[in-house]
Amino acid sequence: MSYFRKHYHEPGTAPGTLVQRSPATTSPLSMHLTDYTEEGVEELDLDAVQDCVRYLERGSKTWLQINGAVSPDTLRQLGDLFDLHDLALEDVLNAGQRPKIDSYENQLFVTAAFPMLNDGVLELVQISLFVGENYLICFCPLAQDPFDPIRKRIRQTNGRRFTSRGIDYLLYALLDYIVDSGFPVLESFGDDLEVLESELLAHPDRQTLAAIHRLKRELLLMRRILWPQREMIASAMRSEDHRIKPETLVYLRDCMDHSVQIIELLESFRDMATSMLDLYLSAISNRTNDTMRVLTIIATIFIPLTFIVGVYGMNFGNPDNPWAMPELYARYGYPLVWGAMIVITGGLVWYFRRRRWL
């Protein structure tokens, strides 16, 4: 996982320049349009940007969902058709933007981070949203549309909450879905923390340490993105832009509550991961201490035995010498020495067990 993923222009490039880069995804471009009023919903897949012109001339709400890798030419066509600002289009192409909300003359521009797990690895997908008077354009680099549950709510007969409200309610629904997507990711991280905790209490190894570092890194990356995302939602609530109606603020407040809950869970998991790293170091230190204690006990037991065999290994056994070792020629000298060593060994083991060193 790279620490720095943001695409950027070379220093000195004119602002608003759209430059084609090797995209992080090679997903083919697809455009899906959802046009709805209180009377009904119409959906179709577009082959060209110009196909949505006739829907903009109505009084309906139009949601244009663009998935996959978008080219600079397509962005320019959309910019000319919807009068999108050049700086905002540049931010769409340069992925890895900080979540934010910018107000331009003809539209609101919102960037958000969509958290997801790809084969167990955290991925933060940039979602770019343009909000006009009666349209919303959503750019998503994924091949598959992640917002199909929102579209299903619009199709439902009881989905009049969507059809009877302005386009700002659709903006809230998409932001709420993006924010709530953090809960399953954090749930997966919580499961990983439980597994790591069990491994730490059983048999921690280098793989456990690598898993802890990976989890800490992903939590740090998620925190770096979701903190400004909470600020972005707070900015939307404080915004005086006429495109965000007062009746939508109460829903944005609920979205803000979810964002705060995710941040609190994220901080708790980061603290747990840090404490697990300390627990791993303590477990390794305790294991080393146990090993050293066993080795010390073994060495202590063999010290007197080494002394005895060292003394009798000197072989001063001249029978005419009064200072010679009498045990060398005693009938039971050899078994007596063995018995003494066994008694000493047993006494030391009994003493160590009594002191609970064994």
Side-chain angles (χ1 to χ4, degrees), residues 316-351:
F316 293 119
N318 187 355
D320 297 330
N321 187 354
W323 297 103
M325 294 180 181
E327 296 85 355
L328 293 178
Y329 298 96
R331 181 177 179 85
Y332 300 104
Y334 181 68
L336 285 174
V337 171
W338 266 108
M341 290 193 296
I342 292 174
V343 169
I344 292 174
T345 302
L348 288 175
V349 171
W350 171 81
Y351 178 75

Side-chain angles (χ1 to χ4, degrees), residues 296-311:
T296 302
I297 289 174
I298 293 174
T300 304
I301 291 175
F302 277 91
I303 285 175
L305 305 184
T306 305
F307 173 75
I308 293 174
V309 299
V311 169

Side-chain angles (χ1 to χ4, degrees), residues 151-222:
R151 197 170 285 107
K152 288 180 180 179
R153 289 167 55 187
I154 298 177
R155 297 191 196 110
Q156 292 173 354
T157 56
N158 58 355
R160 291 193 173 275
R161 177 174 294 178
F162 262 100
T163 58
S164 62
R165 294 182 180 273
I167 203 69
D168 56 334
Y169 187 82
L170 176 60
L171 172 65
Y172 148 74
L174 295 177
L175 290 178
D176 184 65
Y177 184 81
I178 292 172
V179 170
D180 288 350
S181 297
F183 286 111
V185 175
L186 289 178
E187 183 180 3
S188 177
F189 286 161
D191 295 338
D192 293 342
L193 286 171
E194 291 182 4
V195 173
L196 289 174
E197 188 175 19
S198 300
E199 292 181 4
L200 285 173
L201 297 177
H203 301 287
D205 52 17
R206 291 183 179 273
Q207 292 182 351
T208 306
L209 179 61
I212 293 175
H213 278 295
R214 178 191 62 81
L215 187 59
K216 284 193 62 179
R217 184 178 179 181
E218 291 185 341
L219 289 172
L220 179 62
L221 176 62
M222 194 170 179

Side-chain angles (χ1 to χ4, degrees), residues 226-239:
L226 295 190
W227 264 101
Q229 186 151 286
R230 186 181 72 168
E231 297 174 2
M232 179 267 292
I233 298 174
S235 298
M237 293 174 57
R238 296 191 301 266
S239 175

Side-chain angles (χ1 to χ4, degrees), residues 89-107:
L89 293 176
E90 180 184 1
D91 289 342
V92 173
L93 200 61
N94 296 338
Q97 297 292 328
R98 187 177 186 269
K100 62 180 180 177
I101 179 169
D102 292 331
S103 179
Y104 295 101
E105 181 179 357
N106 298 319
Q107 72 273 152

Side-chain angles (χ1 to χ4, degrees), residues 284-300 357-358:
I284 296 299
S285 178
N286 290 336
R287 182 190 297 178
T288 303
N289 292 338
D290 291 340
T291 303
M292 293 302 299
R293 181 176 60 183
V294 172
L295 294 177
T296 302
I297 289 174
I298 293 174
T300 304
W357 293 348
L358 278 176

